Amino acid sequence: MTGLARDGGLYVPETVPTMTEDEIAALAGKSYEEIAFAVMKPFVADTFTDEEFKGLIAKAYAGFGHDARAPLVQLAPNHFLLELFHGPTLAFKDFAMQLIGQMMQFALARSGKRITIVGATSGDTGSAAIEAFRGLDNVDVFILFPHGRVSEVQRRQMTTPSESNVHALAVDGDFDDCQAALKDMFNDFDFRDEVHLAGVNSINWGRVLAQVVYYFSSAVSLGAPHRKVSFTVPTGNFGDIFAGYLASRMGLPVDQLVIGTNANDILHRCISANDHSLHQLVQSLSPSMDIMVSSNFERMLFDLYDRDGAAINQLMTEFKATGNLKLSDNALTKARELFTSYRLDDNEMVRVIADVWEHTEYLLDPHTAIGVEAARKTRRRQDIPMVCLATAHPAKFPEAVRKAGYPQDPPLPHHMADLFEREERYAVQDNELSAVQQFMKDNIRK
Ligand SMILES: *Cc1c(COP(=O)(O)O)cnc(C)c1O
């Protein structure tokens, strides 16, 4: 429940459970919920009974607008889209957030405790967290988002829920400022203990875990474990693609993982040129990927350095001091066995939306468009199925879609059709830790 560890590092499992080929083969034909149970159970151990855990999974995905939960759609020969936007907020983050909402609620009810959830968002995490926790008795939710830098649909999804335990907070700054405030808040142990702080950002281990499931469900649909599968992931904080890496560590035969980035391309520079240096953050038409420091990348580094905590501590300290981080030859070579990367700016991305629309009449959201092109440009083998993660519904990002020549705002699904009529409610705060903390203390329900 805590998210960030007290020593400033990130939680990782001591050992990664693996699945045998037979166990993976046995997932074929199962429902998403059944696959979720089989894949996550070894990590959950006896925290929940089997029946309890199955119940939490069932509740988490019951509100999705598609019976397959994560359906595959074919885009081109041996190139598939994994639609991860059928949850309540139309982005893949619902997969993890709905589940940890259920798990936390269950654990809190059992212990009689209460918590304060805090999250920083570049757009989609915030609404997903609010949807997962709105109206819960034992939880207050505070979401920090960069003022004026999220799409209108994203903002309205965060600011229109009327429940009194939901607090949307626009911070005068960018996403990295929000994320830094969050990190500092967790390192202020007095504050952390006073308000019972819990994190649901993409560093939360439960979120990473829930995202592993759809790598298995899609790969098995395409013939795994008897056939390898590759994935492309539009990447920001490296959470979603790290789940793909974890799936491969668990035994899923993953041939290649492609990192797609927008102009905020630190990961692309790192993989392609060993240049993990900080640049100025730019605002793009794919705002959920406007991230300079990908916090889950540290988990990857830990493995690339053979789980040497001291070495990672030194690397991260150096990065904090110099704004630069060079991988060892060994680590880079290992990373490149699995990962390739590609970067698209807004103009290139918009052309991809237009091109795919013209050739298939499929409307991509801007994040997915980056993935599609990254897959086309860097896939190594045509004979291995490529699955591109479709991370959001195009209706969330009308500006990008219109720039691609689409003649109207893509329609919102039924359950959100009145979003623009609902009343908004949010506070604006200076980018200053103490002010944000005071706001939280004042607004936590007693
Ligand atoms: C969050 C998000 C991403 C980036 O995912 P990470 O796990 O942060 O790498 C990509 N696309 C969309 C639509 C998102 O909401």
Side-chain angles (χ1 to χ4, degrees):
M1 269 203 239
T2 49
L4 207 64
R6 281 188 182 244
D7 61 4
L10 301 175
Y11 291 112
V12 290
E14 284 174 27
T15 55
V16 174
T18 53
M19 292 177 77
T20 64
E21 216 176 289
D22 285 348
E23 285 168 334
I24 296 171
L27 301 176
K30 295 242 162 86
S31 70
Y32 188 86
E33 283 82 350
E34 288 169 320
I35 294 175
F37 177 79
V39 169
M40 292 188 286
K41 178 65 194 173
F43 290 90
V44 170
D46 54 4
T47 307
F48 308 112
T49 67
D50 285 2
E51 287 321 303
E52 285 167 353
F53 193 39
K54 282 178 188 169
L56 297 177
I57 292 170
K59 273 199 219 151
Y61 301 118
F64 276 47
H66 197 297
D67 283 350
R69 310 308 182 215
L72 278 169
V73 173
Q74 188 159 12
L75 187 67
N78 224 8
H79 190 170
F80 300 84
L81 289 173
L82 180 60
E83 292 187 342
L84 300 175
F85 50 71
H86 295 285
T89 72
L90 312 182
F92 82 88
K93 295 192 172 69
D94 288 325
F95 276 90
M97 209 64 89
Q98 286 292 322
L99 183 67
I100 65 170
Q102 292 297 331
M103 293 200 287
M104 286 188 180
Q105 183 182 8
F106 188 89
L108 289 171
R110 193 160 59 184
S111 66
K113 291 189 179 139
R114 32 177 322 117
I115 53 171
T116 301
I117 298 273
V118 63
T121 187
S122 58
D124 294 325
T125 305
S127 54
I130 287 168
E131 281 301 323
F133 293 99
R134 60 193 287 184
L136 298 188
D137 294 335
N138 296 336
V139 182
D140 277 275
V141 197
F142 291 84
I143 297 298
L144 281 49
F145 66 91
H147 192 30
R149 294 179 187 224
V150 298
S151 82
E152 185 169 5
V153 174
Q154 288 178 319
R155 191 192 69 236
R156 286 182 166 274
Q157 283 183 323
M158 293 188 274
T159 59
T160 57
S162 55
E163 287 85 353
S164 61
N165 73 324
V166 172
H167 315 274
L169 195 56
V171 174
D172 267 322
D174 59 28
F175 172 68
D176 284 320
D177 294 326
C178 295
Q179 188 156 267
L182 189 82
K183 213 165 176 177
D184 292 341
M185 214 179 278
F186 274 96
N187 285 325
D188 178 346
F189 295 146
D190 289 340
F191 179 76
R192 180 173 175 163
D193 293 338
E194 182 184 340
V195 304
H196 307 288
L197 213 54
V200 293
N201 252 43
S202 72
I203 48 170
N204 180 292
W205 179 256
R207 283 188 56 189
V208 173
L209 179 58
Q211 291 166 180
V212 173
V213 175
Y214 44 72
Y215 288 91
F216 277 89
S217 68
S218 57
V220 165
S221 292
L222 293 169
H226 314 300
R227 194 184 184 201
K228 286 185 163 186
V229 180
S230 294
F231 292 93
T232 300
V233 188
T235 296
N237 240 332
F238 206 77
D240 209 7
I241 196 165
F242 183 77
Y245 164 77
L246 198 68
S248 82
R249 291 256 340 255
M250 290 176 69
L252 192 69
V254 176
D255 189 66
Q256 185 185 355
L257 286 171
V258 181
I259 300 166
T261 77
N262 63 25
N264 300 298
D265 60 354
I266 189 167
L267 289 170
H268 169 58
R269 286 185 281 111
C270 179
I271 296 294
S272 59
N274 200 5
D275 170 18
H276 188 278
S277 61
L278 286 177
H279 288 186
Q280 188 70 35
L281 192 86
V282 295
Q283 238 178 302
S284 79
L285 290 172
S286 45
S288 305
M289 292 157 63
D290 287 348
I291 287 164
M292 185 74 329
V293 183
S294 303
S295 39
N296 277 295
F297 194 54
E298 189 176 336
R299 287 194 162 112
M300 187 73 230
L301 293 174
F302 186 57
D303 271 12
L304 292 175
Y305 281 78
D306 301 320
R307 309 200 126 209
D308 179 349
I312 297 307
N313 197 3
Q314 196 184 337
L315 262 186
M316 298 316 290
T317 306
E318 203 176 293
F319 180 56
K320 233 182 171 168
T322 65
N324 199 355
L325 183 160
K326 283 249 174 281
L327 298 190
S328 69
D329 289 345
N330 183 34
L332 193 62
T333 304
K334 260 203 268 178
R336 285 174 174 168
E337 282 167 14
L338 196 56
F339 292 93
T340 56
S341 65
Y342 196 74
R343 162 214 206 262
L344 274 83
D345 66 21
D346 279 347
N347 290 329
E348 293 164 322
M349 177 277 291
V350 161
R351 281 201 292 275
V352 178
I353 297 181
D355 175 70
V356 169
W357 173 254
E358 187 187 323
H359 287 95
T360 65
E361 283 195 38
Y362 191 94
L363 190 59
L364 297 172
D365 104 286
H367 307 80
T368 308
I370 288 173
V372 165
E373 188 67 2
R376 286 169 170 173
K377 283 281 168 29
T378 79
R379 75 187 283 186
R380 293 169 182 152
R381 289 178 54 172
Q382 281 297 329
D383 60 327
I384 291 176
M386 173 59 79
V387 177
C388 179
L389 274 53
T391 50
H393 190 287
K396 285 192 101 161
F397 303 99
E399 192 191 348
V401 171
R402 276 178 173 278
K403 282 215 163 110
Y406 193 74
Q408 62 191 58
D409 283 0
L412 287 160
H414 283 306
H415 64 96
M416 280 171 51
D418 65 341
L419 185 66
F420 285 83
E421 280 99 69
R422 295 181 203 158
E423 194 183 326
E424 288 194 84
R425 181 173 62 87
Y426 66 103
V428 182
Q429 277 289 346
D430 290 342
N431 173 26
E432 207 177 294
L433 182 65
S434 58
V436 173
Q437 286 176 320
Q438 193 56 50
F439 177 87
M440 290 175 64
K441 282 192 209 169
D442 293 344
N443 285 279
I444 289 171
R445 294 169 309 162
K446 292 294 173 275

